[in-house]
Amino acid sequence: MAPKNDGSAKKVMNKGAWTEEEDQKLSQYIEIHGAKRWTTVAVKAGLNRCGKSCRLRWLNYLRPNIKRGNISDAEEDLILRLHKLLGNRWSLIAGRLPGRTDNEIKNYWNSHLSKKINHKEKALEVTTSKETMPEKLLDIVQGDIEDAKEIGNSKANFDANGLFDFSAADASHGLEWVDKLLGSYSLESVDNFLELEEDPWITDNR
DNA sequence: AAATTCATCAACCGCCAGTCA
DNA sequence: CTGACTGGCGGTTGATGAATT
């Protein structure tokens, strides 16, 4: 349908795939003025896009030091471990994988890893573990760290084999912090872990 | 070779929380 | 205090190319 042109209609924004020209405009503007106030960026860069769209494009594709594709075994292993810890908190997971974006990890999870997990879980259902763990860690594994803070100590079921799956032991380089965290399961550790280093290209400049 | 199905991933949508006037 | 605005996030969609029939 053609857009209204009675003066009262909002300006119709571009949607869909970005063109090379749009990418250039956005990159050039941010290089000079920085990535702040996305609606302003969109307007001043001469892009007929909404601020949200510009932000997404910059963070996922144009930002420097972005890695694209070829997720290594070590990265995959890390994603799996972090997902066990954090659940679908893609931005947090991405924060621990330099150069990777939440969108890429989310896509990778949905297209690759979730299938692997389902496969594995079905196999594990046959041999459900009855080991115990502190309830706090159980909640963390379920991706509910915030709520876990308010829960007292008690027993709960724990599938330690699933959590500490070191079958790819030699792929754990750089994962010591994960092992340490899982080994100690202190909430302080989780909180410290969640306080990520600032990336100047991501940090909100509001 | 054409039609159909499947897999991937870029981008959008809606919700929510923080900020500011 | 409140409401509008803005950005961040996770869920979802849709376009595209690859694989299969």
Side-chain angles (χ1 to χ4, degrees):
Chain A
M1 197 197 287
K4 287 181 183 175
N5 192 19
D6 60 3
S8 63
K10 279 185 182 175
K11 194 180 179 188
V12 178
M13 295 290 184
N14 282 352
K15 276 190 178 184
W18 280 64
T19 64
E20 225 167 275
E21 191 190 349
E22 286 177 312
D23 283 347
Q24 269 184 7
K25 282 182 179 177
L26 183 59
S27 297
Q28 279 173 10
Y29 182 89
I30 290 174
E31 225 167 85
I32 296 167
H33 299 96
K36 47 188 175 186
R37 305 282 307 174
W38 288 107
T39 44
T40 307
V41 169
V43 174
K44 296 257 174 100
L47 293 161
N48 191 26
R49 295 264 182 183
C50 66
K52 268 187 172 185
S53 183
C54 293
R55 175 186 165 271
L56 197 72
R57 185 67 184 169
W58 172 254
L59 292 180
N60 286 342
Y61 303 97
L62 302 176
R63 183 162 54 101
N65 308 321
I66 282 271
K67 280 190 213 164
R68 316 256 342 121
N70 298 325
I71 290 182
S72 66
D73 289 348
E75 284 176 311
E76 182 180 309
D77 188 49
L78 182 51
I79 292 167
L80 285 166
R81 288 158 184 261
L82 287 169
H83 189 268
K84 268 184 177 159
L85 261 177
L86 301 166
N88 294 357
R89 293 174 171 177
W90 307 116
S91 63
L92 285 176
I93 294 171
R96 309 310 306 186
L97 286 144
R100 300 294 184 185
T101 69
D102 55 352
N103 209 33
E104 186 177 21
I105 290 168
K106 180 170 60 183
N107 281 333
Y108 188 72
W109 180 270
N110 288 333
S111 59
H112 297 83
L113 299 181
S114 63
K115 287 171 195 164
K116 274 193 190 179
I117 294 292
N118 284 340
H119 210 253
K120 228 180 179 181
E121 273 177 359
K122 277 189 180 168
L124 280 171
E125 269 173 25
V126 183
T127 55
T128 308
S129 171
K130 295 286 182 190
E131 296 170 70
T132 60
M133 69 178 283
E135 191 167 280
K136 280 181 178 178
L137 181 55
L138 180 66
D139 283 339
I140 290 165
V141 171
Q142 288 168 342
D144 207 348
I145 292 163
E146 296 307 316
D147 289 348
K149 289 175 182 174
E150 297 163 17
I151 296 171
N153 293 321
S154 64
K155 290 178 194 170
N157 292 333
F158 173 42
D159 184 347
N161 291 329
L163 189 57
F164 296 96
D165 181 6
F166 292 106
S167 53
D170 59 341
S172 66
H173 31 280
L175 302 182
E176 295 82 4
W177 63 271
V178 180
D179 302 335
K180 207 174 167 185
L181 178 59
L182 293 176
S184 63
Y185 48 76
S186 79
L187 288 169
E188 288 81 357
S189 300
V190 174
D191 285 342
N192 289 338
F193 156 71
L194 291 174
E195 285 179 13
L196 308 176
E197 315 86 50
E198 286 195 353
D199 181 341
W201 292 106
I202 301 177
T203 305
D204 182 15
N205 293 311
R206 266 189 277 178

